[in-house]
Amino acid sequence: MRFDADWMSRADDRILEHLSDAGPDTPKEMADSGRVRFSRQHINSRCKTLVTYGLLVHLGNGVYDITRQGEQYLAGELDARDLEAE
């Protein structure tokens, strides 16, 4: 069971799942994949928030990847309510 936080949105799980399965990607590619059914702008905004909470890392040139904490969240091993923005 996943424990999400008040600051999270519906898009966050889809973004994390996509990056866990597909590897590093850009918001545009995530939107184009059809798996993350949100606009590129919304995905980009959510990625920045997920970086702030340590669930994603920005690799540069608009590319994001999931972190170990992000994988732990997906596995239900991490309670996102315990995360603090950096």
Side-chain angles (χ1 to χ4, degrees):
M1 175 192 267
R2 294 181 189 160
F3 302 97
D4 63 351
D6 291 341
W7 54 265
M8 296 182 83
S9 81
R10 286 187 327 148
D12 296 351
D13 278 13
R14 302 297 83 74
I15 292 167
L16 291 164
E17 289 165 354
H18 173 84
L19 294 174
S20 179
D21 292 343
D25 217 345
T26 66
K28 180 185 182 325
E29 293 299 321
M30 285 185 245
D32 291 348
S33 76
R35 182 166 182 195
V36 184
R37 296 174 187 249
F38 296 90
S39 71
R40 180 200 57 78
Q41 294 87 353
H42 185 66
I43 294 169
N44 188 55
S45 173
R46 295 312 305 163
C47 284
K48 289 177 181 179
T49 300
L50 292 168
V51 166
T52 302
Y53 284 92
L55 298 176
L56 294 184
V57 62
H58 185 236
L59 301 176
N61 294 323
V63 178
Y64 293 90
D65 198 10
I66 191 167
T67 63
R68 185 169 185 270
Q69 281 189 2
E71 294 284 3
Q72 289 173 328
Y73 165 76
L74 286 179
E77 300 168 357
L78 176 77
D79 188 336
R81 296 172 293 188
D82 294 336
L83 298 175
E84 294 186 21
E86 297 174 359

Coordinates of all heavy atoms in Angstrom, one line a residue:
M1 N 0.8 -1.2 0.0 CA 0.0 0.0 0.0 C 0.9 1.2 0.0 O 1.9 1.3 0.7 CB -0.9 0.0 1.2 CG -1.7 1.3 1.4 SD -2.5 1.5 2.9 CE -4.1 0.8 2.6
R2 N 0.5 2.2 -0.8 CA 1.3 3.5 -0.9 C 0.7 4.5 0.0 O -0.5 4.6 0.2 CB 1.3 4.0 -2.3 CG 2.0 3.1 -3.3 CD 2.0 3.7 -4.7 NE 2.5 2.7 -5.6 CZ 2.3 2.8 -6.9 NH1 1.6 3.7 -7.4 NH2 2.8 1.8 -7.7
F3 N 1.5 5.3 0.6 CA 1.1 6.3 1.5 C 1.5 7.7 0.9 O 2.6 8.1 1.0 CB 1.8 6.1 2.9 CG 1.5 4.8 3.5 CD1 2.4 3.8 3.4 CD2 0.3 4.6 4.2 CE1 2.1 2.5 4.0 CE2 0.0 3.4 4.8 CZ 0.9 2.3 4.7
D4 N 0.5 8.3 0.3 CA 0.8 9.6 -0.4 C 0.6 10.7 0.6 O 0.1 10.5 1.7 CB 0.0 9.8 -1.6 CG -1.5 9.8 -1.3 OD1 -2.0 9.5 -0.2 OD2 -2.3 10.1 -2.3
A5 N 1.0 11.9 0.2 CA 0.9 13.1 1.1 C 0.0 14.1 0.5 O -0.4 14.0 -0.7 CB 2.3 13.7 1.2
D6 N -0.4 15.1 1.3 CA -1.3 16.1 0.8 C -0.8 16.9 -0.3 O -1.5 17.4 -1.1 CB -1.6 17.1 2.0 CG -2.5 16.4 3.1 OD1 -3.1 15.4 2.8 OD2 -2.5 17.0 4.2
W7 N 0.5 17.0 -0.4 CA 1.1 17.8 -1.5 C 1.2 17.1 -2.8 O 1.5 17.6 -3.9 CB 2.6 18.3 -1.1 CG 3.5 17.2 -0.7 CD1 3.7 16.7 0.6 CD2 4.3 16.3 -1.6 NE1 4.6 15.7 0.5 CE2 4.9 15.4 -0.8 CE3 4.4 16.3 -3.0 CZ2 5.8 14.5 -1.3 CZ3 5.3 15.3 -3.5 CH2 6.0 14.4 -2.6
M8 N 0.8 15.8 -2.8 CA 0.9 15.0 -4.0 C -0.3 15.1 -4.9 O -1.4 15.4 -4.4 CB 1.1 13.5 -3.7 CG 2.5 13.3 -3.0 SD 2.8 11.5 -2.7 CE 3.4 11.0 -4.3
S9 N -0.2 14.9 -6.2 CA -1.3 14.9 -7.1 C -1.5 13.6 -7.8 O -0.6 12.7 -7.7 CB -1.2 16.0 -8.2 OG -0.3 15.6 -9.2
R10 N -2.6 13.4 -8.5 CA -2.8 12.1 -9.2 C -1.7 11.8 -10.2 O -1.4 10.6 -10.5 CB -4.2 12.2 -9.9 CG -5.4 12.1 -9.1 CD -6.7 11.9 -9.8 NE -6.6 12.7 -11.1 CZ -7.3 12.3 -12.2 NH1 -8.0 11.3 -12.2 NH2 -7.2 13.0 -13.3
A11 N -1.1 12.8 -10.8 CA -0.1 12.6 -11.8 C 1.2 12.0 -11.2 O 1.9 11.3 -11.9 CB 0.2 13.9 -12.5
D12 N 1.4 12.2 -9.9 CA 2.7 11.8 -9.3 C 3.0 10.3 -9.4 O 4.1 9.9 -9.8 CB 2.8 12.3 -7.9 CG 2.8 13.8 -7.8 OD1 2.9 14.5 -8.8 OD2 2.7 14.3 -6.7
D13 N 2.0 9.5 -9.1 CA 2.2 8.1 -9.2 C 2.4 7.6 -10.6 O 3.3 6.8 -10.9 CB 1.0 7.3 -8.6 CG 1.0 7.2 -7.1 OD1 1.8 7.9 -6.4 OD2 0.2 6.4 -6.6
R14 N 1.7 8.2 -11.6 CA 1.9 7.8 -13.0 C 3.3 8.2 -13.4 O 4.0 7.4 -14.2 CB 0.9 8.5 -13.9 CG -0.6 8.3 -13.6 CD -1.0 6.9 -13.7 NE -0.8 6.0 -12.6 CZ -1.5 6.0 -11.4 NH1 -2.4 6.9 -11.2 NH2 -1.2 5.2 -10.5
I15 N 3.8 9.4 -13.0 CA 5.2 9.8 -13.4 C 6.2 8.8 -12.8 O 7.1 8.4 -13.5 CB 5.4 11.2 -12.9 CG1 4.6 12.2 -13.7 CG2 6.9 11.6 -13.0 CD1 4.5 13.6 -13.1
L16 N 6.0 8.5 -11.5 CA 7.0 7.7 -10.8 C 7.0 6.3 -11.4 O 8.0 5.6 -11.7 CB 6.7 7.6 -9.3 CG 7.0 8.9 -8.6 CD1 6.3 8.9 -7.2 CD2 8.5 9.1 -8.4
E17 N 5.8 5.7 -11.7 CA 5.7 4.4 -12.3 C 6.3 4.4 -13.7 O 7.0 3.5 -14.1 CB 4.2 4.0 -12.5 CG 3.6 3.7 -11.1 CD 2.0 3.6 -11.2 OE1 1.5 4.0 -12.3 OE2 1.4 3.3 -10.2
H18 N 6.1 5.4 -14.5 CA 6.7 5.5 -15.9 C 8.2 5.5 -15.8 O 8.8 4.8 -16.5 CB 6.2 6.8 -16.6 CG 6.9 7.0 -17.9 ND1 6.5 6.4 -19.0 CD2 8.0 7.7 -18.2 CE1 7.3 6.8 -20.0 NE2 8.2 7.6 -19.6
L19 N 8.8 6.3 -14.9 CA 10.2 6.4 -14.8 C 10.8 5.1 -14.2 O 11.9 4.7 -14.6 CB 10.6 7.6 -14.0 CG 10.3 9.0 -14.6 CD1 10.6 10.1 -13.7 CD2 11.1 9.2 -15.9
S20 N 10.1 4.5 -13.3 CA 10.6 3.2 -12.8 C 10.6 2.2 -13.9 O 11.6 1.4 -13.9 CB 9.6 2.8 -11.7 OG 10.1 1.5 -11.1
D21 N 9.7 2.2 -14.8 CA 9.6 1.1 -15.8 C 10.5 1.5 -17.1 O 11.2 0.7 -17.6 CB 8.2 1.0 -16.3 CG 7.3 0.3 -15.3 OD1 7.8 -0.3 -14.3 OD2 6.0 0.4 -15.4
A22 N 10.4 2.8 -17.5 CA 11.1 3.2 -18.7 C 12.5 3.8 -18.5 O 13.2 3.9 -19.5 CB 10.2 4.2 -19.4
G23 N 12.8 4.2 -17.3 CA 14.1 4.9 -17.1 C 14.0 6.4 -17.3 O 12.9 6.9 -17.5
P24 N 15.1 7.1 -17.3 CA 15.1 8.5 -17.4 C 14.3 9.0 -18.6 O 14.4 8.4 -19.7 CB 16.6 8.9 -17.5 CG 17.3 7.7 -16.9 CD 16.4 6.5 -17.2
D25 N 13.6 10.1 -18.4 CA 12.7 10.6 -19.5 C 12.4 12.1 -19.3 O 12.6 12.6 -18.2 CB 11.4 9.8 -19.6 CG 10.9 9.6 -21.0 OD1 11.4 10.3 -21.9 OD2 10.0 8.7 -21.2
T26 N 11.9 12.7 -20.3 CA 11.5 14.1 -20.3 C 10.0 14.2 -20.1 O 9.3 13.3 -20.5 CB 11.9 14.9 -21.5 OG1 11.1 14.4 -22.6 CG2 13.4 14.8 -21.8
P27 N 9.5 15.3 -19.6 CA 8.1 15.5 -19.5 C 7.4 15.4 -20.8 O 6.3 14.8 -20.9 CB 7.9 16.9 -18.9 CG 9.1 17.1 -18.1 CD 10.2 16.4 -18.9
K28 N 8.0 15.9 -21.9 CA 7.4 15.8 -23.2 C 7.2 14.3 -23.6 O 6.2 13.9 -24.1 CB 8.2 16.5 -24.3 CG 7.6 16.4 -25.7 CD 8.5 17.0 -26.7 CE 7.9 17.0 -28.1 NZ 7.2 15.9 -28.5
E29 N 8.3 13.5 -23.4 CA 8.2 12.1 -23.8 C 7.2 11.3 -22.9 O 6.6 10.4 -23.4 CB 9.6 11.5 -23.7 CG 10.6 12.0 -24.7 CD 10.2 11.7 -26.1 OE1 9.6 10.6 -26.4 OE2 10.4 12.6 -27.0
M30 N 7.1 11.7 -21.6 CA 6.2 11.1 -20.7 C 4.7 11.4 -21.2 O 3.9 10.5 -21.3 CB 6.3 11.6 -19.3 CG 7.5 11.0 -18.6 SD 7.6 11.6 -16.9 CE 9.1 12.5 -16.9
A31 N 4.5 12.6 -21.6 CA 3.2 13.0 -22.1 C 2.9 12.3 -23.4 O 1.7 11.8 -23.6 CB 3.1 14.5 -22.3
D32 N 3.9 12.2 -24.3 CA 3.7 11.5 -25.6 C 3.5 10.0 -25.5 O 3.0 9.4 -26.4 CB 4.9 11.8 -26.5 CG 4.9 13.3 -27.0 OD1 3.9 14.0 -26.8 OD2 6.0 13.7 -27.5
S33 N 4.0 9.5 -24.4 CA 3.9 8.0 -24.2 C 2.5 7.5 -24.0 O 2.2 6.3 -24.3 CB 4.7 7.6 -23.0 OG 4.0 7.9 -21.8
G34 N 1.6 8.4 -23.6 CA 0.2 8.0 -23.4 C 0.0 7.3 -22.0 O -1.1 7.1 -21.6
R35 N 1.1 7.0 -21.3 CA 0.9 6.3 -20.0 C 0.7 7.4 -18.9 O 0.0 7.1 -18.0 CB 2.2 5.6 -19.7 CG 2.1 4.8 -18.4 CD 3.1 3.8 -18.2 NE 2.9 3.2 -16.9 CZ 3.8 2.4 -16.3 NH1 4.9 2.2 -16.9 NH2 3.6 1.9 -15.2
V36 N 1.3 8.5 -19.1 CA 1.1 9.6 -18.1 C 0.2 10.6 -18.8 O 0.6 11.4 -19.6 CB 2.5 10.3 -17.8 CG1 2.2 11.4 -16.7 CG2 3.5 9.3 -17.3
R37 N -1.1 10.5 -18.5 CA -2.2 11.2 -19.3 C -2.4 12.6 -18.7 O -3.5 12.9 -18.3 CB -3.4 10.4 -19.3 CG -3.3 9.1 -20.0 CD -4.5 8.2 -19.8 NE -4.2 6.9 -20.4 CZ -4.8 6.5 -21.5 NH1 -5.6 7.2 -22.2 NH2 -4.5 5.3 -21.9
F38 N -1.4 13.4 -18.8 CA -1.4 14.8 -18.3 C -0.6 15.6 -19.3 O 0.2 15.1 -20.1 CB -0.9 15.0 -16.9 CG -1.7 14.2 -15.9 CD1 -1.4 12.9 -15.5 CD2 -2.7 14.8 -15.2 CE1 -2.1 12.2 -14.6 CE2 -3.5 14.2 -14.3 CZ -3.2 12.9 -14.0
S39 N -0.8 16.9 -19.3 CA -0.1 17.8 -20.3 C 1.4 17.8 -19.9 O 1.8 17.6 -18.7 CB -0.6 19.2 -20.2 OG -0.3 19.8 -19.0
R40 N 2.2 18.1 -20.9 CA 3.7 18.3 -20.6 C 3.9 19.3 -19.6 O 4.8 19.1 -18.7 CB 4.4 18.7 -21.9 CG 5.9 18.8 -21.7 CD 6.5 19.6 -22.8 NE 6.0 21.0 -23.0 CZ 6.3 22.0 -22.2 NH1 7.1 21.8 -21.1 NH2 5.8 23.2 -22.4
Q41 N 3.2 20.4 -19.6 CA 3.4 21.5 -18.6 C 3.1 21.0 -17.2 O 3.8 21.3 -16.2 CB 2.5 22.7 -18.9 CG 2.9 23.4 -20.2 CD 2.2 22.8 -21.4 OE1 1.5 21.7 -21.4 NE2 2.4 23.4 -22.6
H42 N 2.0 20.2 -17.0 CA 1.6 19.7 -15.7 C 2.7 18.7 -15.2 O 3.1 18.7 -14.1 CB 0.2 19.1 -15.7 CG -0.2 18.6 -14.4 ND1 -0.5 19.5 -13.4 CD2 -0.5 17.4 -13.9 CE1 -0.9 18.8 -12.3 NE2 -0.9 17.6 -12.6
I43 N 3.1 17.8 -16.1 CA 4.1 16.8 -15.8 C 5.4 17.5 -15.4 O 6.0 17.1 -14.4 CB 4.4 15.8 -17.0 CG1 3.1 15.0 -17.2 CG2 5.6 14.9 -16.7 CD1 3.2 14.2 -18.5
N44 N 5.8 18.5 -16.1 CA 7.0 19.3 -15.8 C 6.9 19.9 -14.4 O 7.9 19.8 -13.6 CB 7.3 20.3 -16.8 CG 8.6 21.0 -16.6 OD1 9.6 20.4 -16.6 ND2 8.6 22.3 -16.5
S45 N 5.8 20.5 -14.1 CA 5.6 21.1 -12.8 C 5.6 20.0 -11.7 O 6.3 20.2 -10.6 CB 4.2 21.8 -12.8 OG 3.9 22.2 -11.5
R46 N 5.0 18.9 -11.9 CA 5.0 17.8 -10.9 C 6.4 17.2 -10.7 O 6.8 16.9 -9.6 CB 4.0 16.7 -11.2 CG 2.5 17.2 -11.2 CD 2.1 18.0 -10.0 NE 2.4 17.3 -8.8 CZ 2.5 17.8 -7.6 NH1 2.3 19.1 -7.4 NH2 2.8 17.1 -6.5
C47 N 7.1 17.1 -11.8 CA 8.5 16.6 -11.7 C 9.4 17.5 -10.8 O 10.1 17.0 -9.9 CB 9.2 16.5 -13.1 SG 8.6 15.1 -14.0
K48 N 9.2 18.8 -11.0 CA 10.0 19.7 -10.1 C 9.6 19.6 -8.7 O 10.4 19.6 -7.8 CB 9.7 21.2 -10.6 CG 10.3 21.5 -11.9 CD 10.0 22.9 -12.4 CE 10.6 23.2 -13.7 NZ 10.3 24.5 -14.2
T49 N 8.3 19.4 -8.4 CA 7.9 19.1 -7.0 C 8.4 17.8 -6.5 O 8.9 17.8 -5.3 CB 6.3 19.1 -6.9 OG1 5.8 20.4 -7.4 CG2 5.8 18.9 -5.5
L50 N 8.4 16.8 -7.3 CA 8.9 15.5 -6.8 C 10.4 15.5 -6.6 O 10.9 14.9 -5.7 CB 8.6 14.4 -7.9 CG 7.1 14.1 -8.0 CD1 6.8 13.2 -9.2 CD2 6.6 13.4 -6.7
V51 N 11.1 16.4 -7.3 CA 12.6 16.6 -7.0 C 12.7 17.2 -5.7 O 13.6 16.8 -4.9 CB 13.2 17.5 -8.2 CG1 14.6 18.0 -7.7 CG2 13.3 16.7 -9.5
T52 N 11.9 18.2 -5.4 CA 12.0 18.9 -4.1 C 11.8 18.0 -2.9 O 12.4 18.2 -1.9 CB 10.9 20.0 -4.1 OG1 11.0 20.9 -5.1 CG2 10.9 20.8 -2.8
Y53 N 11.0 17.0 -3.1 CA 10.8 16.0 -2.0 C 11.7 14.8 -2.1 O 11.5 13.8 -1.3 CB 9.3 15.6 -2.0 CG 8.4 16.7 -1.4 CD1 7.8 17.7 -2.2 CD2 8.3 16.8 0.0 CE1 7.1 18.7 -1.6 CE2 7.5 17.8 0.6 CZ 6.9 18.7 -0.2 OH 6.1 19.7 0.3
G54 N 12.6 14.7 -3.1 CA 13.6 13.6 -3.1 C 13.1 12.4 -3.8 O 13.8 11.4 -3.8
L55 N 11.9 12.4 -4.5 CA 11.4 11.2 -5.2 C 12.0 11.1 -6.6 O 12.0 10.0 -7.2 CB 9.9 11.2 -5.2 CG 9.3 11.1 -3.8 CD1 7.8 11.2 -3.9 CD2 9.7 9.9 -3.0
L56 N 12.4 12.2 -7.2 CA 13.0 12.3 -8.5 C 14.3 13.1 -8.4 O 14.5 13.9 -7.5 CB 12.1 13.0 -9.5 CG 10.8 12.3 -9.9 CD1 10.1 13.2 -11.0 CD2 11.0 10.9 -10.4
V57 N 15.1 12.9 -9.4 CA 16.3 13.7 -9.6 C 16.3 14.3 -11.0 O 15.9 13.6 -11.9 CB 17.6 12.8 -9.3 CG1 17.7 11.7 -10.3 CG2 18.9 13.7 -9.3
H58 N 16.7 15.5 -11.1 CA 16.8 16.2 -12.4 C 18.2 15.9 -12.9 O 19.2 16.3 -12.3 CB 16.5 17.7 -12.3 CG 16.5 18.4 -13.6 ND1 17.3 19.5 -13.9 CD2 15.8 18.1 -14.7 CE1 17.1 19.9 -15.1 NE2 16.2 19.1 -15.6
L59 N 18.3 15.3 -14.1 CA 19.6 14.9 -14.7 C 20.2 16.0 -15.6 O 21.3 15.9 -16.0 CB 19.5 13.6 -15.4 CG 19.1 12.4 -14.6 CD1 18.9 11.2 -15.5 CD2 20.0 12.1 -13.5
G60 N 19.4 17.0 -15.9 CA 19.8 18.1 -16.8 C 19.1 17.9 -18.1 O 18.6 16.8 -18.5
N61 N 19.0 19.0 -18.9 CA 18.4 19.0 -20.2 C 16.9 18.5 -20.2 O 16.5 17.9 -21.1 CB 19.2 18.1 -21.2 CG 20.5 18.7 -21.5 OD1 20.7 20.0 -21.6 ND2 21.5 17.9 -21.7
G62 N 16.3 18.7 -19.1 CA 14.9 18.4 -18.9 C 14.6 16.9 -18.7 O 13.5 16.4 -18.7
V63 N 15.6 16.1 -18.4 CA 15.5 14.7 -18.1 C 15.4 14.4 -16.6 O 16.2 14.9 -15.8 CB 16.7 13.9 -18.7 CG1 16.6 12.4 -18.4 CG2 16.8 14.2 -20.2
Y64 N 14.4 13.6 -16.2 CA 14.2 13.2 -14.8 C 14.4 11.7 -14.7 O 14.1 11.0 -15.6 CB 12.8 13.7 -14.4 CG 12.7 15.2 -14.3 CD1 12.2 15.9 -15.4 CD2 13.0 15.9 -13.2 CE1 12.1 17.3 -15.4 CE2 12.9 17.2 -13.1 CZ 12.4 17.9 -14.2 OH 12.3 19.3 -14.1
D65 N 14.8 11.3 -13.5 CA 14.8 9.9 -13.2 C 14.3 9.7 -11.7 O 14.4 10.6 -10.9 CB 16.3 9.4 -13.3 CG 16.3 7.9 -13.4 OD1 15.3 7.2 -13.6 OD2 17.4 7.3 -13.4
I66 N 13.9 8.5 -11.5 CA 13.4 8.2 -10.1 C 14.5 7.9 -9.2 O 15.6 7.4 -9.6 CB 12.4 7.0 -10.2 CG1 11.7 6.8 -8.9 CG2 13.1 5.7 -10.7 CD1 10.5 5.8 -9.0
T67 N 14.4 8.3 -8.0 CA 15.4 8.0 -7.0 C 15.1 6.7 -6.2 O 14.1 6.1 -6.3 CB 15.5 9.2 -5.9 OG1 14.3 9.2 -5.2 CG2 15.8 10.5 -6.6
R68 N 16.0 6.4 -5.3 CA 15.8 5.2 -4.5 C 14.6 5.4 -3.6 O 13.8 4.5 -3.4 CB 17.0 4.9 -3.6 CG 17.0 3.7 -2.8 CD 18.3 3.4 -2.1 NE 18.3 2.1 -1.4 CZ 17.9 2.0 -0.1 NH1 17.6 3.1 0.6 NH2 17.9 0.8 0.5
Q69 N 14.4 6.6 -3.1 CA 13.2 7.0 -2.3 C 12.0 6.9 -3.1 O 11.0 6.4 -2.6 CB 13.3 8.4 -1.7 CG 14.2 8.5 -0.5 CD 14.1 9.9 0.1 OE1 13.3 10.8 -0.3 NE2 14.8 10.1 1.2
G70 N 12.0 7.3 -4.4 CA 10.9 7.1 -5.3 C 10.5 5.7 -5.4 O 9.3 5.3 -5.4
E71 N 11.5 4.8 -5.6 CA 11.2 3.4 -5.7 C 10.7 2.8 -4.5 O 9.7 2.0 -4.5 CB 12.5 2.6 -6.1 CG 13.1 3.0 -7.5 CD 12.3 2.3 -8.6 OE1 11.3 1.6 -8.4 OE2 12.7 2.5 -9.8
Q72 N 11.2 3.3 -3.3 CA 10.6 2.8 -2.0 C 9.2 3.3 -1.9 O 8.4 2.5 -1.4 CB 11.5 3.4 -0.9 CG 12.8 2.8 -0.8 CD 13.7 3.4 0.3 OE1 13.6 4.7 0.5 NE2 14.6 2.7 0.9
Y73 N 8.9 4.5 -2.3 CA 7.5 4.9 -2.2 C 6.6 4.0 -3.1 O 5.5 3.6 -2.6 CB 7.4 6.4 -2.7 CG 5.9 6.8 -3.0 CD1 5.0 7.0 -2.0 CD2 5.4 6.8 -4.3 CE1 3.7 7.3 -2.2 CE2 4.1 7.1 -4.6 CZ 3.3 7.4 -3.5 OH 1.9 7.7 -3.8
L74 N 7.0 3.7 -4.3 CA 6.2 2.9 -5.2 C 6.0 1.5 -4.6 O 4.9 0.9 -4.8 CB 6.9 2.7 -6.6 CG 6.8 3.9 -7.5 CD1 7.5 3.6 -8.8 CD2 5.4 4.3 -7.7
A75 N 7.0 1.0 -3.9 CA 6.9 -0.3 -3.3 C 6.1 -0.3 -2.0 O 5.9 -1.4 -1.4 CB 8.3 -0.9 -3.0
G76 N 5.7 0.8 -1.5 CA 4.9 0.9 -0.3 C 5.8 0.9 1.0 O 5.3 0.7 2.1
E77 N 7.1 1.1 0.8 CA 8.1 1.1 1.9 C 8.4 2.4 2.5 O 9.1 2.5 3.4 CB 9.4 0.4 1.4 CG 9.2 -1.0 0.9 CD 10.4 -1.5 0.1 OE1 11.4 -0.7 0.0 OE2 10.4 -2.7 -0.3
L78 N 7.8 3.5 1.9 CA 8.1 4.9 2.3 C 6.8 5.6 2.4 O 6.0 5.6 1.4 CB 9.0 5.5 1.3 CG 9.4 7.0 1.5 CD1 10.4 7.1 2.7 CD2 9.9 7.6 0.3
D79 N 6.6 6.3 3.5 CA 5.4 7.1 3.7 C 5.7 8.5 3.2 O 6.5 9.2 3.8 CB 5.0 7.1 5.1 CG 3.7 7.8 5.4 OD1 3.3 8.6 4.6 OD2 3.1 7.4 6.5
A80 N 5.1 9.0 2.1 CA 5.4 10.3 1.6 C 5.1 11.4 2.5 O 5.6 12.5 2.4 CB 4.7 10.5 0.2
R81 N 4.2 11.2 3.5 CA 3.8 12.2 4.5 C 5.0 12.5 5.4 O 5.0 13.6 6.0 CB 2.7 11.7 5.3 CG 1.4 11.5 4.5 CD 0.3 10.8 5.3 NE 0.7 9.5 5.6 CZ -0.1 8.6 6.2 NH1 -1.3 8.9 6.6 NH2 0.4 7.3 6.5
D82 N 6.0 11.7 5.4 CA 7.2 11.9 6.3 C 8.3 12.7 5.5 O 9.2 13.1 6.2 CB 7.8 10.6 6.7 CG 6.9 9.8 7.6 OD1 6.0 10.4 8.3 OD2 7.1 8.6 7.7
L83 N 8.1 13.0 4.2 CA 9.1 13.7 3.5 C 8.9 15.2 3.7 O 7.8 15.7 3.8 CB 9.0 13.4 2.0 CG 9.2 11.9 1.6 CD1 8.9 11.7 0.1 CD2 10.6 11.5 1.9
E84 N 10.1 15.9 3.7 CA 10.1 17.3 3.8 C 10.7 17.9 2.5 O 11.7 17.3 2.0 CB 10.8 17.8 5.0 CG 10.1 17.4 6.3 CD 10.8 17.9 7.5 OE1 11.5 19.0 7.4 OE2 10.6 17.4 8.6
A85 N 10.2 19.0 2.1 CA 10.8 19.7 0.9 C 12.2 20.2 1.2 O 12.5 20.6 2.3 CB 9.9 20.9 0.5
E86 N 13.1 20.0 0.2 CA 14.5 20.4 0.4 C 14.7 21.8 -0.1 O 14.1 22.3 -0.9 CB 15.4 19.5 -0.4 CG 15.3 18.1 0.1 CD 16.1 17.1 -0.8 OE1 16.7 17.6 -1.8 OE2 16.2 16.0 -0.5

